[in-house]
Amino acid sequence: MDSAAGAQPGLIAAYMTEDHRRLDGLRRAEAWWEFRGGLLRHIGLEEKILLPEARRRRGGSPLPDTARLRKDHGALATLLVPKPSPEVARAIDQILARHNAIEEGPDGVYAQCDALAGADAADVVERLRAAPAVPQNPYQDGPRVQAQVERVLAQLRAP
């Protein structure tokens, strides 16, 4: 992929970045249930399709940012379990701001996936498009969930 200024994003980057924009719109609209389902699907696209495909194309070596992305995915999934609250919403926004920055742009994870896929990028995008929605369980707010959420929030507050 050409990473020159103003270059068009590759097919994978365009698809995944557009999904970020769609999720941002749902979040701003406070369409929580749709946002939650969409974010869980998006995480699944990365975990089940993009990151494994990149690893395969790198001869078994994961992309350098894989560990960071997976840590963020775990934190986001935890924060999506309870009913949304202002504190949880702020934490999700905080995680996504740095997470999306790692993925987007000419040197981001998505551009790297495009470069690795080469002529197969359209096939990868078709697999992304075909991925089903993630079934959602009802929100849970019990003491164990709250303890897990508090651990994530404490990690975000730590310097």
Side-chain angles (χ1 to χ4, degrees), residues 47-68:
E47 291 287 343
K48 294 178 181 176
I49 299 172
L50 285 185
L51 296 177
E53 182 70 18
R55 183 178 186 143
R56 184 182 70 76
R57 289 178 182 268
R58 288 172 49 93
S61 176
L63 291 171
D65 289 313
T66 297
R68 170 81 257 164

Side-chain angles (χ1 to χ4, degrees), residues 130-146:
V134 174
Q136 294 191 68
N137 292 318
Y139 293 116
Q140 301 292 319
D141 287 314
R144 292 177 72 190
V145 168
Q146 290 305 319

Side-chain angles (χ1 to χ4, degrees), residues 67-92:
R68 170 81 257 164
L69 296 178
R70 287 196 163 139
K71 182 176 180 183
D72 289 350
H73 291 160
L76 289 165
T78 296
L79 294 173
L80 293 172
V81 174
K83 290 177 190 160
S85 69
E87 185 175 28
V88 164
R90 282 190 301 275
I92 289 171

Side-chain angles (χ1 to χ4, degrees), residues 13-124:
Y15 179 81
M16 295 300 286
T17 300
E18 176 55 33
D19 201 39
H20 283 175
R21 303 297 164 259
R22 183 182 68 80
L23 291 169
D24 289 346
L26 291 171
R27 169 67 188 92
R28 280 191 305 275
E30 295 189 16
W32 279 104
W33 189 255
E34 293 84 2
F35 171 76
R36 181 185 191 225
L39 185 54
L40 289 170
R41 181 180 179 274
H42 188 89
I43 289 169
L45 296 178
E46 293 176 4
E47 291 287 343
K48 294 178 181 176
I49 299 172
L50 285 185
L51 296 177
E53 182 70 18
R55 183 178 186 143
R56 184 182 70 76
R57 289 178 182 268
R58 288 172 49 93
S61 176
L63 291 171
D65 289 313
T66 297
R68 170 81 257 164
L69 296 178
R70 287 196 163 139
K71 182 176 180 183
D72 289 350
H73 291 160
L76 289 165
T78 296
L79 294 173
L80 293 172
V81 174
K83 290 177 190 160
S85 69
E87 185 175 28
V88 164
R90 282 190 301 275
I92 289 171
D93 291 345
Q94 180 183 345
I95 293 168
L96 288 177
R98 87 166 167 250
H99 185 88
N100 292 356
I102 293 168
E103 295 172 335
E104 296 179 8
D107 298 318
V109 167
Y110 298 153
Q112 293 172 52
C113 290
D114 269 310
L116 289 166
D120 297 330
D123 294 335
V124 174

Side-chain angles (χ1 to χ4, degrees), residues 2-8 106:
D2 181 8
S3 62
Q8 292 294 317

